[in-house]
């Protein structure tokens, strides 16, 4: 089982780079991805990839599915500081 709470989030791959790389390999446009995620405007995808906007966590499963990725691969890059703190608070106490 993958440990999402302690997953390494400091790697060199950003969420934007992950999205762009998989879009390119799959031939998916920003418009395709925006539609799959339920966004009305393609600009939202551009903003997420550039880091100017965070990916809403409710969209993580859709993004993972659209790009053929595992949920944890997207979640570990999409989760911001407060979200990671929340995930850590859910972990079992140390014994």
């Amino acid at each position: 089982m993958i440990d999402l709470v302690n997953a390494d989030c400091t790697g060199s791959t950003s969420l934007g780079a992950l999205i762009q790389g998989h879009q390119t390999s799959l031939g998916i446009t920003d418009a395709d991805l925006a539609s799959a995620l339920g966004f009305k405007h393609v600009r939202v995808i551009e903003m997420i990839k550039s880091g100017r906007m965070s990916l809403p966590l409710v969209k993580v499963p859709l993004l993972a599915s659209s790009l053929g990725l595992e949920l944890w691969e997207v979640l570990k890059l999409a989760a911001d500081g407060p979200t990671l703190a929340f995930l850590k608070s859910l972990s079992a106490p140390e014994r």
Side-chain angles (χ1 to χ4, degrees):
M1 181 173 181
I2 304 291
D3 183 358
L4 291 176
V5 174
N6 296 311
D8 179 16
C9 297
T10 62
S12 61
T13 301
S14 68
L15 179 60
L18 180 75
I19 293 170
Q20 186 62 54
H22 283 275
Q23 275 185 280
T24 300
S25 68
L26 296 171
I28 298 172
T29 66
D30 284 354
D32 295 334
L33 198 52
S35 178
L37 297 179
F39 292 123
K40 293 180 182 180
H41 303 286
V42 174
R43 185 86 177 126
V44 174
I45 299 300
E46 296 167 1
M47 292 172 64
I48 291 169
K49 290 193 314 187
S50 70
R52 290 178 296 187
M53 179 180 166
S54 296
L55 176 68
L57 288 179
V58 298
K59 301 290 187 179
V60 168
L62 289 172
L63 179 63
S65 175
S66 297
L67 297 177
L69 297 167
E70 294 291 330
L71 182 62
W72 68 268
E73 292 177 281
V74 178
L75 183 59
K76 74 178 187 175
L77 295 174
D80 57 11
T83 302
L84 286 176
F86 173 73
L87 290 173
K88 287 184 179 183
S89 76
L90 298 177
S91 65
E94 292 185 26
R95 295 178 188 165

